[in-house]
Amino acid sequence: AQQKACDLRNAVLDLNQLREDNRLELLEILDQFNGSKCLILDPNLGGRLNHVLVEGARVLRENGVTSFRELKGDLDEEADHFIYLCRAHPPHMLTIARHVKAALRSGMASSEIKFHIFLIPRKTYLCQQALEDELVLPYTTVGDFHLDLVAFDADLLSLEVDIYKGTKVQKDPQGWDWCVQALLKLETFYGCPSRVKAIGPAAKA
């Protein structure tokens, strides 16, 4: 079942500011491209977009999105632009590379760049390197969609990033930077906190 956006009216902070910031950024991404748009979503984004776009898919269609797909398998779709929203996860780049290569073989991809990748919460060197290794980077544009902290309830914000796996198992420190950027974003909207608590050595660091 589709998750509905939570009611933030009872939140101690005006969390609608965060929601609106994410919403406007997504609409600005879509407004960059003219013509029909196929929006391809990382299936593991879950209901995060539903907590950002209170109006649902209607607002996406009003901004030129003609079709929606999950990022998996082959891409059997026609559109002027293919816009990917996905986590900064290198295996996703391999799936996108397959889509681009198939389009090149079929002649669908021309001199105009049709594939646009927006990584959440920020693009990484590893993702760009994966596209370059697959020889498709020149046929894509790569940008950021700063969908970091999402309000799942009036008292619950989540970054939706597996920090432990990334830093401890994969030895990738990128997750710490995402945490810091998310906290700085909170300070931008609500000011510096007068009291900070941290649990565990990693949080204290």
Side-chain angles (χ1 to χ4, degrees):
Q2 187 181 38
Q3 290 180 303
K4 292 184 178 180
C6 59
D7 187 346
L8 300 177
R9 285 176 296 183
N10 295 324
V12 175
L13 299 174
D14 182 10
L15 297 180
N16 276 308
Q17 291 185 59
L18 280 179
R19 175 180 283 172
E20 185 65 9
D21 183 67
N22 289 328
R23 175 183 177 277
L24 290 177
E25 183 176 359
L26 176 55
L27 297 183
E28 286 172 3
I29 286 172
L30 296 176
D31 286 344
Q32 295 178 41
F33 311 107
N34 297 319
S36 60
K37 305 160 194 174
C38 177
L39 189 62
I40 304 166
L41 302 174
D42 178 345
N44 289 318
L45 284 179
R48 291 168 70 181
L49 284 182
N50 295 325
H51 289 276
V52 171
L53 296 174
V54 180
E55 313 95 320
R58 175 181 59 82
V59 70
L60 297 176
R61 294 191 178 93
E62 290 174 352
N63 284 269
V65 176
T66 53
S67 57
F68 304 86
R69 291 290 180 271
E70 282 194 348
L71 179 59
K72 60 183 181 180
D74 297 327
L75 181 62
D76 184 17
E77 190 72 34
E78 291 187 5
D80 294 320
H81 295 280
F82 298 93
I83 302 171
Y84 295 82
L85 302 181
C86 59
R87 294 166 301 147
H89 189 39
H92 290 335
M93 303 304 104
L94 302 182
T95 302
I96 295 172
R98 290 203 305 271
H99 294 174
V100 177
K101 289 176 181 179
L104 291 170
R105 286 194 299 269
S106 68
M108 185 179 69
S110 61
S111 57
E112 179 188 3
I113 295 178
K114 301 166 66 75
F115 296 89
H116 314 281
I117 306 163
F118 291 89
L119 297 174
I120 299 169
R122 286 163 183 81
K123 60 189 174 189
T124 65
Y125 169 78
L126 290 177
C127 286
Q128 291 178 286
Q129 187 62 49
L131 293 170
E132 187 171 354
D133 291 344
E134 292 294 315
L135 307 178
V136 299
L137 187 59
Y139 304 98
T140 67
T141 61
V142 182
D144 302 325
F145 178 26
H146 304 103
L147 183 63
D148 37 35
L149 287 170
V150 175
F152 284 102
D153 210 335
D155 58 355
L156 177 63
L157 297 175
S158 177
L159 192 58
E160 294 296 287
V161 173
D162 192 342
I163 299 295
Y164 182 85
K165 180 180 179 181
T167 57
K168 296 295 185 181
V169 179
Q170 299 172 340
K171 305 299 182 183
D172 181 3
Q174 187 75 52
W176 297 130
D177 180 61
W178 292 342
C179 287
V180 171
Q181 294 299 327
L183 292 173
L184 290 174
K185 187 175 184 178
L186 284 181
E187 290 187 3
T188 299
F189 281 112
Y190 309 113
C192 295
S194 57
R195 188 179 182 188
V196 177
K197 288 185 177 182
I199 300 175
K204 291 175 181 177

